[in-house]
Amino acid sequence: MTTSTSSAAHRPIPAPDNGPHLHPHLHPRPGTGHAPSHHGELLQGVFADSDGRPCAGLVTLPTTTPGTRADFTPHPGIPRDAVTVVPADRTKAARAARLAVAACAARTGRPAHGGTLHLTGAVPLGLGMGSSTSDVLATVRAVADAYGLRLDPGTTARLAVRAERASDPLMLDARPVLFAQREGRVLDVLGPALPPLLVVGCLLGGGTPVDTLALPAPTADDADLRAYAHLRDRLRRALADGDTALLGRVATASARRAQRTLGHPEFDALVALARRTGAVGVQISHSGSVAGVLHDPHTPGAAARADETRRALDAHHIPYTRTFTAGGAPDAPHPPRSRTLRQPWTPNSCSLH
């Protein structure tokens, strides 16, 4: 079997920046860190890496809000493993704090102290919006700040995977990458930015939280690997061409494949109402209940279509959450020209294989 990969496949995350040389007797000070969340995935499955090894991977739909703030206060004389976290149920963040303290102390020569970790933010738990990774990333950044460091994404990703077993790529900001969530490495850099999107968010399954780690580990046979490789290639093309319609078809195909595990009863209704309201497709969390109907914001009447989508969600008793924009050129809020759909979106165009 052969799969198509770009020259960026299996691209390593940049090497660590060891930070400034610090005198070993200086104690760390209170530190603060922030992290965003995401809105589920545009693509998730099993992909061949550059060595041909099957590897679970995903491409998230980033959002700037909601997010998490972490405040870490080290306490001299407290063992490094003694971390009190508020709220007390954020055990993954507490584990991340202990790991980050050890790493930062070793890197700077400063004492490794435990302390108190306060987490604040509005990322919903268990909906597939990366709440755990947002907590963990904000925590690692807060501990690093306490030690006068700014850790590189590679180090942060490795700490995150150790803390929570599977991590979203929030440490890479909004860059569209295929990320091995259980290994903390980039499999493929897909392009500079996502095409522009207008997303009407909603919840499937009644918004019931999902225990991500309770889901079965992803598996794939040769046919699955070929299908995921095809979706990966089409997503790369969508990013290269700024093709929002193609991105929508990729996201819908990935979401449909995920129904073999998730089995959301409202999924077919969601796809149908997206088609009726002129959307380019749908996206979901592959490990939660959050979902989105995707519109091209630069087609005529996009705002009215988004409002119609919200009304259609209400009619189908699918809880609406919010409407937001995503994607677009990294240095501009909008692409240089308006685009129209290349062809009408039909039920058959949900599948790319």
Side-chain angles (χ1 to χ4, degrees):
M1 182 196 72
T2 60
T3 59
S4 173
T5 60
S6 73
S7 61
H10 202 131
R11 177 175 295 181
I13 299 174
D17 172 8
N18 289 325
H21 176 73
L22 299 172
H23 196 280
H25 77 272
L26 296 177
H27 291 283
R29 54 176 176 74
T32 300
H34 299 84
S37 60
H38 65 79
H39 199 265
E41 287 76 42
L42 296 168
L43 175 62
Q44 182 164 338
V46 181
F47 306 85
D49 66 11
S50 60
D51 297 323
R53 182 176 66 88
C55 184
L58 52 78
V59 181
T60 57
L61 176 59
T63 62
T64 56
T65 58
T68 302
R69 170 178 170 144
D71 292 281
F72 178 68
T73 303
H75 300 309
I78 299 297
R80 71 182 187 186
D81 289 338
V83 175
T84 301
V85 61
V86 181
D89 62 345
R90 307 298 174 85
T91 57
K92 294 176 182 177
R95 188 157 53 244
R98 292 192 290 268
L99 292 168
V101 165
C104 292
R107 184 168 295 191
T108 62
R110 288 182 171 184
H113 296 313
T116 303
L117 174 68
H118 285 267
L119 298 172
T120 55
V123 185
L125 304 181
L127 299 185
M129 296 182 66
S131 59
S132 293
T133 299
S134 189
D135 285 352
V136 164
L137 177 56
T139 295
V140 171
R141 287 174 171 172
V143 172
D145 184 50
Y147 280 85
L149 294 175
R150 184 171 182 174
L151 297 177
D152 65 281
T155 299
T156 305
R158 288 187 289 274
L159 290 171
V161 169
R162 289 178 63 192
E164 55 175 335
R165 291 173 48 190
S167 172
D168 296 307
L170 299 180
M171 70 290 300
L172 300 173
D173 300 317
R175 283 176 285 178
V177 300
L178 181 64
F179 186 75
Q181 69 268 30
R182 294 175 182 266
E183 301 179 18
R185 63 187 177 105
V186 173
L187 298 175
D188 199 351
V189 178
L190 298 170
L194 295 172
L197 292 167
L198 178 63
V199 184
V200 181
C202 61
L203 297 175
L204 302 179
T208 302
V210 174
D211 182 356
T212 303
L213 295 178
L215 295 174
T219 59
D221 58 21
D222 287 345
D224 291 324
L225 288 171
R226 288 192 295 272
Y228 287 128
H230 183 59
L231 292 175
R232 172 186 189 167
D233 290 343
R234 297 297 292 274
L235 184 55
R236 186 184 296 112
R237 176 184 162 190
L239 270 60
D241 295 346
D243 191 337
T244 303
L246 179 57
L247 179 146
R249 294 197 294 273
V250 170
T252 306
S254 180
R256 188 176 293 284
R257 293 184 67 84
Q259 297 312 306
R260 296 181 297 182
T261 300
L262 299 174
H264 291 307
E266 314 96 328
F267 180 75
D268 288 338
L270 185 71
V271 171
L273 72 85
R275 180 177 68 252
R276 289 196 305 272
T277 59
V280 297
V282 302
Q283 61 83 217
I284 64 168
S285 167
H286 289 58
S287 57
S289 56
V290 73
V293 179
L294 307 176
H295 289 269
D296 185 339
H298 298 289
T299 57
R305 293 182 184 189
D307 288 340
E308 184 183 354
T309 300
R310 179 174 180 174
R311 292 192 295 270
L313 290 170
D314 290 340
H316 284 83
H317 306 289
I318 299 174
Y320 165 82
T321 54
R322 64 188 179 115
T323 300
F324 64 96
T325 58
D331 56 350
H334 301 295
R337 60 187 176 90
S338 297
R339 299 184 60 259
T340 57
L341 301 182
R342 294 182 177 181
Q343 60 186 19
W345 189 55
T346 67
N348 290 336
S349 63
C350 295
S351 177
L352 300 179
H353 50 273

